[in-house]
Structure formats: structure tokens, C-alpha cells
Amino acid sequence: MSVIEVRGLHKSFGDLKVLNGVDFSVEEGERVVIIGGSGCGKSVFLRCIELLETPDAGKIFVNGQEITAPDCNIDEIRRGMGMVYQKFNLFTYMNVMENLCIAPMKLLGMTKIEAEKKATELLTQVGLVSKAKVYPGVLSGGQQQRIAICRSLMMDPKVILFDEPTSALDPTMVSEVLAVIRMLAKRKLTMIIVTHEMNFAQEVANRILFFADGGIYEQGTPEEILEHPKREKTIAFIQRQKYFRYEILSRDFDLLEMQGRIWNFAEKYGVNTSNAHKLQLCCEETIYTMMSGCYDIEDEISMTVDITYTETDKTSQLNLTCTGKNYNPFNLDDEEDESLEENLSVMILKKAAKDFSYTYEDGLNKITLKLRF
């Protein structure tokens, strides 16, 4: 039996549809990591599992019990689920020991001695036993998050949900929190973790879910998702691809405006000056080469320029698609009746590209250049 099972989960906020029929299950001891872009529904999904957000439709089962049923005692179910939030949510008016002990004493019937003994053991494991009598306000963000994890463990949960536990931390504090979660992973504790830390996801996950388009867009092992993703949006997210598009509908298009937009795109994503100039040059040469080769003077122009910049390996790809007659500039021969200027443009493109290709399909010319950066 699954620890958690979700069937046909829907959740919207006004006209914004966030979750659109999500099906999901996690088995005991499984460590599921959820990744995806901002606003894709990762955190909303976790909050729905604890009914901190009320689903619009669908059913959620925890240890076989439907928590979306009207007669469910959700507070009782939550005692078996830990939740670690982006914000630490510690009680500022209680010291660390009091923060850890209050819930098990009130909800599980632990004595103060039993609760403090368990709290001391957990604090020792995370290296914070010396902070037992300290108030949260004097602790660093990383220390507070470690305390928050201990607080969840005090209830002996069957599953812990982590909602981007390092997103509110200074980069210097991230590693100390991730180290605690790695420790829990070795114990085979059931965990669902929303995170943007890809290396961490690869280390701890049995399974990774990529969220997009209102649900689980692609899922698989860490190797399948992080090293060999199959679907377009997963590939773009993992490789951190950035896109630029420009459409040309006349011969007298504004070249300077296009070049300015390419420059802004390059600056935004950290492309250096030399490579930004190379992008501008290749776009200009490709456009005018295809404009002169594919169209007669009276023809209507229709071109689309697409640039894909991949942050992970700092590579760029230029794609130009245009109507007009079949024209492959890379087949030009010096002896053919082509102008020196056209041949020079092709020479520039071949020198700038580490790979190039041309196809003609469905009445469209398609040029692809993978640029040498």
C-alpha cells in the first residue's frame, strides 16, 4: 500500500489553473524529489497533500485513509506527516527545546522527560545540542532550519514533506541543511522534497518528478531526468535554455532594432561581448543570405529567427526558418554563378559554426547553426 496516493488532483486560484488532474503515489522508504520552474505548482501540490490548500477536485489518501473525505480527521492524519517549510516557522517566544517538545507532549502524550530526551538526541545528530536553551532569533537561518527538521522528527512521522527547505537561506548555509536531509535519506525515511538544488536531487532521490503544464510533465530516475531527459520542457529546464525570437515580414525590417534586442538578450544571460557580437553577425549574414536566395524581388518575406542559449555548457544555436523557394546556401560552389558577397557570407557562417545544417520541408527553408563559443 502506498504511503501517499493522489488521484486526479485539481487546484485553481481564480482563473489560474495550477494543478490539472495530477496522479501520484509514493511508497514507504521512497525519496521523491519534485523540480520545475517558478509557479508550476510544486509547493501547491505539497500543501494540498496536507490539506493546507483545499483541492477543487480529486482524492488524496494517506496510509490508505482518504483525507479529502468530509468526515476525515485531518489533524490526526497530519500527526503522521512532517512538513518543513521555506520559512522555519519556529515559535519565537520559545527556546529551541520548548519548540521541539511542545507538539509531542500535547499530541502524543509524551512526558517532559521523554520529550527532552528525544529532543536532545536529535539536536546531537544535527550538531545543535548546545543551542537547546537558545531562542530562535539568535540562530542563523541554517540553524533554524535544522531545528525545524528536528521538530518534524519529534513526531515520528511516516513521511516528511520538504517545501524548498533551502530557498530562504544564504548560500553559505545551504550545505548544512542539505547534509541533515542526506542523513535522513540514509535511514530510508519516506520523503517528498521540492527543491531547486539539482546536485542534491541527484544524490538523494529514488525518483524525480518534473512539474510543468499543471502536473507531472516527466518523471524517472535521477539519471533519466537529470542526464537524459526526453521531453522538450524538461530538457530546457535541466539545461537551463534561454530563448530569443525575432520575426521578419519585409525586406526593410529594422536591423538595428533586432541587433539591439540580441544584445540585450546576451547581456541578460551572461553571454560575453565577443560571443554577443558573433550572434549578431551570424543572424545578419544568415538573414540576408536567405533573403537574396529564397525570394524574388516581388515576393513577400516571412522569416523567423530563433536563438537558444544553453547556460549549462555556454553554447548557442541559431535557427532561421523562412518561406520561399528551396535554397541551400551551404551547397554554393565557387564556380557557380553566385556573387562573391554571397559566398563570403557563407564562409563567415561556416567559420563561426561548429556544426550547420539545411533542410527544406513543407515549403519551408530551415537553417541551423551551432555556434563556436
Side-chain angles (χ1 to χ4, degrees):
M1 181 176 65
S2 300
V3 177
I4 293 176
E5 184 177 358
V6 177
R7 301 176 188 169
L9 183 65
H10 290 257
K11 180 63 183 177
S12 297
F13 296 94
D15 295 330
L16 178 62
K17 187 174 291 186
V18 180
L19 301 174
N20 188 20
V22 179
D23 295 312
F24 166 79
S25 65
V26 59
E27 305 301 318
E28 185 175 356
E30 193 175 11
R31 301 177 301 280
V32 177
V33 170
I34 302 175
I35 61 175
S38 298
C40 69
K42 307 183 297 295
S43 294
V44 173
F45 178 66
L46 280 197
R47 292 176 64 82
C48 283
I49 289 177
E50 275 212 325
L51 288 193
L52 298 174
E53 297 285 354
T54 303
D56 299 327
K59 296 182 178 182
I60 302 171
F61 298 83
V62 177
N63 293 315
Q65 185 172 352
E66 185 188 348
I67 66 172
T68 44
D71 58 348
C72 175
N73 185 343
I74 185 58
D75 290 332
E76 183 177 343
I77 299 298
R78 284 175 180 152
R79 294 172 192 173
M81 289 195 294
M83 184 81 175
V84 179
Y85 303 90
Q86 298 177 28
K87 301 294 185 181
F88 325 118
N89 293 340
L90 299 175
F91 296 118
T92 57
Y93 57 89
M94 295 182 179
N95 65 33
V96 167
M97 183 61 71
E98 291 167 339
N99 264 280
L100 297 186
C101 294
I102 184 171
M105 289 171 60
K106 286 184 173 292
L107 301 177
L108 301 182
M110 279 190 188
T111 67
K112 183 177 181 181
I113 293 175
E114 290 171 335
E116 289 188 348
K117 179 181 178 182
K118 182 169 185 176
T120 300
E121 292 172 354
L122 290 171
L123 290 172
T124 300
Q125 292 171 20
V126 301
L128 292 175
V129 69
S130 65
K131 305 295 183 181
K133 300 301 180 181
V134 169
Y135 285 83
V138 302
L139 298 175
S140 71
Q143 290 171 332
Q144 290 189 60
Q145 193 64 292
R146 282 187 276 166
I147 298 299
I149 294 172
C150 288
R151 180 181 56 188
S152 292
L153 295 173
M154 287 291 294
M155 299 294 289
D156 290 323
K158 295 186 180 298
V159 59
I160 298 185
L161 313 179
F162 292 89
D163 184 12
E164 298 203 41
T166 62
S167 65
L169 301 179
D170 184 278
T172 60
M173 302 175 188
V174 169
S175 60
E176 64 191 70
V177 174
L178 297 183
V180 173
I181 302 176
R182 288 189 189 95
M183 177 185 70
L184 299 180
K186 292 178 181 178
R187 299 180 185 177
K188 302 190 182 303
L189 183 67
T190 308
M191 297 188 288
I192 304 174
I193 308 167
V194 170
T195 186
H196 58 273
E197 302 283 346
M198 296 297 105
N199 290 335
F200 168 71
Q202 190 161 28
E203 291 176 12
V204 304
N206 302 119
R207 178 162 50 114
I208 294 179
L209 314 181
F210 175 68
F211 263 49
D213 296 343
I216 302 170
Y217 180 83
E218 186 173 354
Q219 63 178 305
T221 65
E223 181 179 1
E224 289 169 339
I225 298 300
L226 299 180
E227 297 181 24
H228 307 290
K230 294 182 173 61
R231 302 191 66 188
E232 181 180 1
K233 290 184 180 180
T234 317
I235 293 170
F237 179 82
I238 297 301
Q239 296 183 350
R240 300 200 296 275
Q241 292 178 340
K242 308 300 180 183
Y243 301 99
F244 169 88
R245 168 167 284 196
Y246 193 85
E247 294 185 355
I248 298 169
L249 299 177
S250 75
R251 290 181 179 275
D252 60 348
F253 75 102
D254 192 336
L255 173 64
L256 292 180
E257 191 263 347
M258 182 197 75
Q259 298 290 44
R261 289 180 58 186
I262 292 173
W263 187 264
N264 290 337
F265 169 81
E267 275 196 329
K268 180 177 180 179
Y269 297 113
V271 179
N272 66 39
T273 300
S274 175
N275 291 332
H277 283 306
K278 185 178 290 187
L279 279 174
Q280 290 177 319
L281 175 64
C282 288
C283 284
E284 181 176 349
E285 297 296 342
T286 305
I287 289 167
Y288 285 116
T289 295
M290 298 305 288
M291 194 175 286
S292 63
C294 295
Y295 299 102
D296 294 327
I297 192 66
E298 68 277 3
D299 290 343
E300 292 186 357
I301 303 291
S302 179
M303 290 184 166
T304 302
V305 177
D306 290 292
I307 295 172
T308 303
Y309 175 64
T310 304
E311 291 184 328
T312 50
D313 60 6
K314 309 295 183 185
T315 61
S316 286
Q317 180 169 301
L318 167 63
N319 293 286
L320 183 141
T321 304
C322 68
T323 55
K325 61 189 177 188
N326 185 338
Y327 177 75
N328 183 356
F330 301 120
N331 279 346
L332 291 178
D333 190 302
D334 291 340
E335 296 179 359
E336 292 181 3
D337 186 21
E338 300 288 351
S339 72
L340 176 62
E341 182 179 351
E342 288 174 329
N343 274 316
L344 182 59
S345 293
V346 174
M347 289 173 59
I348 291 172
L349 294 177
K350 287 183 175 181
K351 185 175 181 180
K354 63 180 180 181
D355 191 18
F356 53 86
S357 65
Y358 168 85
T359 59
Y360 186 77
E361 299 175 1
D362 301 323
L364 292 175
N365 296 273
K366 297 181 180 180
I367 294 263
T368 299
L369 296 171
K370 294 182 180 179
L371 301 184
R372 302 177 190 274
F373 272 13

